[in-house]
């Protein structure tokens, strides 16, 4: 670790909350963002990749490597969530293009090389469908030994899903990849809707960001347009920022050590994530409680979202 900071590789489908997660990873002193890999999910791979590059440049970090990943799930057709994130995926926010070209390697290859170069050091934070990570596991079966931890925003273990009553979006889009990951010996912490539905940005906060000057605060204002101005919702769940925060501060959540099974069928429960105890099934940490107040303070101070006077 360089200077005691935690090296993080962020795997994203940027997306509104992914953009805020990137901002948080850049702003936390405890985090060294070593690279960002992109995957299709909230919107197509072209948009998630372009959005990621533009967000990094907007936040003053265009030099952070961005590696383009899988354009569709392992088995199923891609299903996006443009109705949540807007047609381009940034909720109507349109930062300028990045001056820095894409990494010359694919996302799975970037994951493998990063883990090999810094064995036992790097934390992967995966906040989109798990297609890149599943392919990386296939490229390097020793990945579980090479990574320090994998924090996954995904699943709904004791609460209903957000795409169907059974399934959370990231797992729903690519259940086969999620199942391969859950069956592996990767040291995983799952951050599911059980805890992410307890942390949100409120409309009243967003409305006060109109006069913000900090680039991260202006990004939050910009990506919130689709949700708050067009869809008229009262709060936006901070799914992906919570995963980044837990990578830096694991004590924000309380977890249960258990096996995880994924429904990879074609029925109504497809993408369901279940807590199971089964001989031979690796044990992972599943977050079931969160210190929402502590996370809220961390997130708001890092992105300078303090209430703008007036
Ligand atoms: O279910 C929430 C997750 O799906 C978040 O990662 C959001 O960005 C979408 O990818
Ligand atoms: Ca995401």
């Amino acid at each position: 670790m360089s200077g005691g900071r935690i090296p993080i590789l962020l795997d994203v489908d940027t997306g509104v909350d992914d953009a805020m997660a990137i901002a948080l990873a850049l702003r936390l002193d405890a985090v060294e963002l070593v690279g960002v890999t992109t995957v299709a999910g909230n919107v197509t791979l072209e948009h998630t990749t372009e959005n990621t590059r533009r967000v990094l440049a907007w936040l003053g970090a265009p030099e952070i490597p961005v590696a383009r990943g899988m354009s569709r799930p392992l088995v199923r057709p891609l299903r996006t969530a443009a109705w949540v994130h807007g047609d381009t995926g940034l909720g109507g926010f349109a930062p300028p293009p990045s001056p820095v070209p894409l990494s010359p390697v694919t996302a799975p290859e970037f994951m493998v090389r990063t883990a090999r170069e810094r064995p036992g050091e790097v934390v992967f934070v995966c906040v989109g469908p798990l297609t890149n990570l599943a392919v990386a596991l296939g490229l390097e079966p020793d990945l579980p030994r090479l990574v320090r931890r994998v924090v996954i925003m995904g699943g709904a273990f004791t609460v209903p899903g957000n795409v169907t009553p059974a399934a959370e979006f990231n797992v729903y889009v690519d259940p086969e990849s999620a199942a391969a990951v859950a069956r592996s010996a990767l040291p995983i912490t799952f951050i599911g809707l059980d805890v992410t539905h307890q942390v949100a940005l409120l409309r009243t906060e967003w409305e006060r960001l109109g006069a913000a000057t900090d680039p991260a605060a202006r990004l939050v204002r910009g990506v919130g347009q689709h949700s708050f101005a067009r869809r008229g919702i009262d709060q936006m769940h901070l799914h992906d920022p919570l995963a980044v925060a837990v990578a830096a501060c694991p004590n924000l959540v309380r977890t249960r050590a258990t096996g995880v099974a994924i429904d990879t069928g074609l029925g109504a429960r497809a993408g369901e994530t279940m807590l199971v105890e089964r001989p031979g099934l690796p044990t992972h940490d599943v977050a079931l409680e969160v210190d929402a107040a502590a996370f809220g303070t961390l997130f708001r101070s890092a992105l300078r979202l303090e209430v703008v006077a007036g």
Side-chain angles (χ1 to χ4, degrees):
M1 293 194 297
S2 56
R5 296 193 299 163
I6 302 167
I8 281 180
L9 183 157
L10 191 52
D11 187 58
V12 296
D13 61 332
T14 308
V16 165
D17 57 328
D18 306 70
M20 293 189 279
I22 292 169
L24 186 59
L26 287 171
R27 286 286 175 87
L28 289 178
D29 292 338
V31 170
E32 173 199 355
L33 184 59
V34 299
V36 187
T37 51
T38 64
V39 68
N42 286 321
V43 286
T44 63
L45 179 66
E46 281 58 40
H47 282 310
T48 63
T49 304
E50 181 63 18
N51 291 342
T52 298
R53 295 173 61 207
R54 290 178 181 236
V55 163
L56 285 166
W58 170 265
L59 294 165
E63 75 288 350
I64 301 283
V66 176
R68 188 178 186 274
M70 306 307 285
S71 60
R72 51 156 294 179
L74 275 191
V75 176
R76 301 167 194 242
L78 174 63
R79 294 187 184 195
T80 62
W83 65 280
V84 174
H85 297 267
D87 292 342
T88 62
L90 284 180
F93 184 51
S98 168
V100 177
L102 267 179
S103 162
V105 298
T106 65
E109 184 64 29
F110 187 87
M111 286 176 157
V112 170
R113 290 186 187 188
T114 301
R116 284 177 181 156
E117 285 162 9
R118 302 177 72 170
E121 283 190 46
V122 183
V123 176
F124 286 8
V125 181
C126 301
V127 297
L130 292 164
T131 323
N132 287 339
L133 184 56
V135 172
L137 262 177
L139 292 175
E140 175 51 88
D142 204 23
L143 197 62
R145 189 185 59 78
L146 293 171
V147 296
R148 176 175 172 180
R149 180 144 289 267
V150 180
V151 180
I152 292 172
M153 194 281 127
F157 298 88
T158 63
V159 297
N162 59 357
V163 182
T164 69
E168 176 278 325
F169 179 80
N170 287 337
V171 176
Y172 178 77
V173 167
D174 194 346
E176 284 76 15
S177 289
V181 165
R183 279 195 300 266
S184 80
L186 285 166
I188 301 170
T189 299
F190 282 95
I191 304 295
L193 301 183
D194 316 77
V195 289
T196 67
H197 273 173
Q198 298 180 49
V199 293
L201 179 76
L202 305 179
R203 165 195 288 279
T204 49
E205 294 180 274
W206 177 79
E207 286 169 344
R208 290 198 294 266
L209 292 176
T213 56
D214 177 273
R218 289 176 61 197
L219 175 136
V220 174
R221 172 73 183 188
V223 301
Q225 292 171 76
H226 182 74
S227 295
F228 293 119
R230 293 200 198 96
R231 292 177 61 208
I233 61 176
D234 287 331
Q235 64 176 4
M236 181 196 304
H237 289 118
L238 298 168
H239 305 285
D240 297 349
L242 181 58
V244 168
V246 170
C249 312
N251 294 335
L252 282 171
V253 294
R254 293 186 64 180
T255 61
R256 179 188 301 174
T258 174
V260 170
I262 314 282
D263 185 314
T264 54
L266 298 176
R269 310 299 294 177
E272 182 175 17
T273 46
M274 295 157 276
L275 302 175
V276 295
E277 305 293 343
R278 190 181 299 160
L281 192 62
T283 296
H284 300 301
D285 293 334
V286 177
L288 297 177
E289 294 176 55
V290 58
D291 184 340
F295 165 74
T297 301
L298 179 92
F299 175 74
R300 290 171 174 81
S301 59
L303 273 60
R304 307 289 185 278
L305 303 186
E306 295 85 9
V307 171
V308 178

